[in-house]
Amino acid sequence: MNTFGRSITIILACILLFLFPVQYDAELTGTIADAVVENGVYELTDKVIRNKAFTKMDYEMFMNEFDMADAGFHLEFEVAKSYSDGEQDYMFSEFYDELGAYFTIEEELTLERGDYITIYLIKDMESDLLKLQELFFHKGIRKEQIVYGGRIS
């Protein structure tokens, strides 16, 4: 092997010694952040079901706590109310996709017994490490969604 071939081999080895740890760190960091935020969504849903209300303070505490763990997400909230006219049962669904704007006007979203709620956490962006990883290993940009819900009893 000539000098040029050895130089290229050394350069490629150095690049790979840098890339593989960065890739592993990015995947591990993303997995941990996803698990922490998913657990937070579950706890928020459980709290809303227990309290029968989604308050401005609950929303702000969630956003402040988990915005540090994984920036680039937003919450959406859906309430399905059931009613009957005596012959047929109906469901009426209200969807709140701009909770920040809603809570500038209102302090609380009150729920009634029998309502079904669904909280959607939608990731809009990826962490810096995942962006760096995608420079070298091309993957489609995924838009993850975490969904929890339940019935107010």
Side-chain angles (χ1 to χ4, degrees):
M1 188 182 272
N2 60 14
T3 308
F4 179 72
R6 288 183 187 160
S7 325
I8 295 297
T9 304
I10 290 171
I11 290 171
L12 285 175
C14 291
I15 289 173
L16 291 177
L17 285 173
F18 171 73
L19 281 182
F20 286 133
V22 168
Q23 177 187 7
Y24 175 75
D25 190 33
E27 288 177 7
L28 185 62
T29 303
T31 303
I32 291 170
D34 288 346
V36 167
V37 172
E38 186 172 350
N39 190 40
V41 173
Y42 175 74
E43 290 174 0
L44 176 67
T45 305
D46 191 47
K47 185 176 183 180
V48 169
I49 289 172
R50 273 193 327 260
N51 296 340
K52 298 179 182 166
F54 189 32
T55 64
K56 180 178 182 177
M57 189 172 79
D58 291 339
Y59 173 74
E60 289 175 351
M61 285 176 56
F62 179 86
M63 295 305 283
N64 289 337
E65 183 175 350
F66 293 107
D67 198 27
M68 296 298 180
D70 192 10
F73 67 85
H74 69 276
L75 283 177
E76 295 178 355
F77 193 77
E78 183 176 10
V79 180
K81 298 178 181 286
S82 61
Y83 63 94
S84 175
D85 64 358
E87 294 179 13
Q88 181 126 4
D89 293 335
Y90 297 97
M91 292 290 279
F92 175 72
S93 184
E94 296 175 278
F95 195 76
Y96 303 92
D97 58 348
E98 295 292 333
L99 286 171
Y102 177 81
F103 284 124
T104 57
I105 300 168
E106 301 288 332
E107 289 293 318
E108 175 176 282
L109 178 63
T110 307
L111 304 166
E112 299 173 4
R113 185 178 179 166
D115 290 351
Y116 294 92
I117 64 163
T118 307
I119 295 179
Y120 302 91
L121 180 126
I122 300 172
K123 292 180 70 174
D124 299 322
M125 297 172 37
E126 296 177 340
S127 67
D128 293 335
L129 284 175
L130 285 174
K131 288 179 184 175
L132 180 63
Q133 176 189 4
E134 286 185 353
L135 286 175
F136 301 105
F137 304 100
H138 298 289
K139 296 180 181 177
I141 296 175
R142 60 182 196 263
K143 196 168 191 179
E144 292 184 16
Q145 180 171 323
I146 300 171
V147 180
Y148 279 110
R151 183 172 184 248
I152 306 295
S153 54

